Amino acid sequence: MSVLKADHISIQFGGLRAVNNFSLEMNEKELFAIIGPNGAGKTTVFNMLTGLYQPTEGAVYVNEKLMTNCKPYQFTEAGLARTFQNIRLFGQATVLDNVKMAQTFRTNYSYYNMLTRTGKYYEEEKRITERSMELLEMFDLQDKRNYFASNLPYGEQRKLEIVRALATDPKVILLDEPAAGMNPNEIDDVITLIRRVREELGKAILIIEHHMKMVMSIAEYIKVLDFGETISEGVPEVVQNDPKVIEAYLGVHVNDSRG
Ligand SMILES: Nc1ncnc2c1ncn2[C@@H]1O[C@H](COP(=O)(O)OP(=O)(O)OP(=O)(O)O)[C@@H](O)[C@H]1O
Ligand SMILES: [Mg+2]
């Protein structure tokens, strides 16, 4: 089943066509990547795929539901979750509360249950806490559940963001540069975790990432953007050897630590 589909989407900001004619279709459990130089339009594609921006042309589908004019929370309800290029956590809330908050839109208790703290409220609260702890354990953050999120080291904040996205129980998850700013050990850890999210939790995953080693080792299919255009796409071997990609992207980053 198709979990995410972009059908020829474009967006214009004033005179700038930030993304032109982008298409993508992902099925359950697939792992795709979008790469391209800085400013190529990658995050803008994510913003259109998650309801933050409305495409000026084309359409987005989540789990085969047409999402035109839907708000980001409706994308979440349809089964999609994302992380942001810049970390967005509740720094003054605990690690556990950050994950619980992400789940609350799925609660089955009514406002009345909450006010009166009836059985249903406690049942739900228990279920949410248990589910949150399972995810924190998967990411080895369980011992830090009572830390303020802002007190976690940077690499763990990025992991907590992924946990928060998973907490909404999506079918497809979009990760915007999950390994940005991480050291090599942390990157290996994140690669392993992304594989487990797909294999053990059965999620489809779309990542934007600059670390070529990471992209080439985990993505099954890659789309390459440059100035908003899709200049190449295919399996890693094809994209890696495409002269257009080497010129537009790899060439630029050849001596760059991100490469
Ligand atoms: N809301 C906006 N208004 C105007 N221009 C925008 C807006 N959002 C993005 N852009 C422009 O669209 C282009 C693509 O930006 P985008 O952030 O998608 O690039 P990116 O590929 O994610 O780059 P990076 O690798 O640096 O994160 C840039 O020229 C950017 O300035
Ligand atoms: Mg970006």
Side-chain angles (χ1 to χ4, degrees):
M1 190 180 114
S2 161
V3 292
L4 180 62
K5 183 176 172 186
D7 187 12
H8 300 91
I9 55 173
S10 302
I11 192 164
Q12 186 101 16
F13 297 117
L16 174 76
R17 203 162 177 82
V19 174
N20 189 39
N21 209 16
F22 179 89
S23 291
L24 169 100
E25 183 159 13
M26 290 180 71
N27 293 314
E28 279 173 351
K29 285 192 176 192
E30 285 184 328
L31 208 167
F32 287 13
I34 302 176
I35 65 171
N38 294 118
K42 305 179 296 294
T43 297
T44 303
V45 166
F46 267 27
N47 289 341
M48 289 192 283
L49 294 177
T50 55
L52 226 47
Y53 296 162
Q54 286 295 327
T56 36
E57 286 140 67
V60 174
Y61 301 80
V62 176
N63 288 310
E64 302 186 346
K65 179 176 186 289
L66 175 64
M67 302 304 294
T68 303
N69 294 325
C70 286
K71 298 273 179 284
Y73 78 90
Q74 292 168 303
F75 281 70
T76 311
E77 285 173 355
L80 178 144
R82 78 175 289 182
T83 63
F84 289 88
Q85 192 166 350
N86 305 311
I87 292 173
R88 294 192 184 184
L89 294 167
F90 296 102
Q92 296 307 106
T94 66
V95 167
L96 178 59
D97 281 343
N98 265 276
V99 185
K100 286 171 70 176
M101 278 187 270
Q103 270 183 87
T104 45
F105 88 99
R106 282 200 182 276
T107 55
N108 283 323
Y109 56 82
S110 67
Y111 190 61
Y112 175 79
N113 291 147
M114 196 178 77
L115 286 178
T116 55
R117 302 273 159 120
T118 57
K120 189 96 180 209
Y121 170 85
Y122 287 108
E123 266 168 44
E124 282 290 310
E125 173 70 16
K126 185 160 172 277
R127 188 186 60 79
I128 288 174
T129 305
E130 280 169 5
R131 180 65 187 141
S132 300
M133 285 307 298
E134 276 169 25
L135 290 171
L136 287 172
E137 271 160 35
M138 182 173 184
F139 281 71
D140 203 21
L141 291 169
Q142 71 280 8
D143 295 341
K144 298 195 171 167
R145 63 184 174 279
N146 294 323
Y147 284 41
F148 282 137
S150 57
N151 288 345
L152 290 182
Y154 177 81
E156 290 186 341
Q157 291 193 23
R158 290 217 85 101
K159 290 207 301 189
L160 180 56
E161 282 238 300
I162 302 177
V163 173
R164 275 179 55 85
L166 290 171
T168 65
D169 198 23
K171 275 252 188 317
V172 54
I173 173 164
L174 277 54
L175 307 174
D176 196 344
E177 302 201 25
M182 287 187 171
N183 68 41
N185 286 337
E186 290 172 325
I187 293 172
D188 286 345
D189 183 31
V190 161
I191 290 176
T192 307
L193 284 167
I194 290 174
R195 289 209 175 102
R196 288 183 59 202
V197 165
R198 177 247 196 89
E199 276 147 34
E200 293 170 29
L201 304 181
K203 310 295 183 194
I205 304 168
L206 178 62
I207 64 169
I208 293 174
E209 189 47 69
H210 279 291
H211 288 92
M212 278 304 131
K213 200 181 116 212
M214 174 171 177
V215 170
M216 296 301 167
S217 73
I218 65 175
E220 296 159 317
Y221 194 87
I222 300 171
K223 308 268 305 185
V224 189
L225 289 184
D226 193 20
F227 295 110
E229 301 285 344
T230 305
I231 59 161
S232 179
E233 64 183 284
V235 297
E237 302 75 61
V238 168
V239 164
Q240 225 167 353
N241 295 313
D242 184 337
K244 274 186 289 189
V245 178
I246 295 165
E247 189 190 327
Y249 188 81
L250 299 175
V252 176
H253 290 298
V254 146
N255 295 315
D256 188 320
S257 60
R258 304 168 91 178

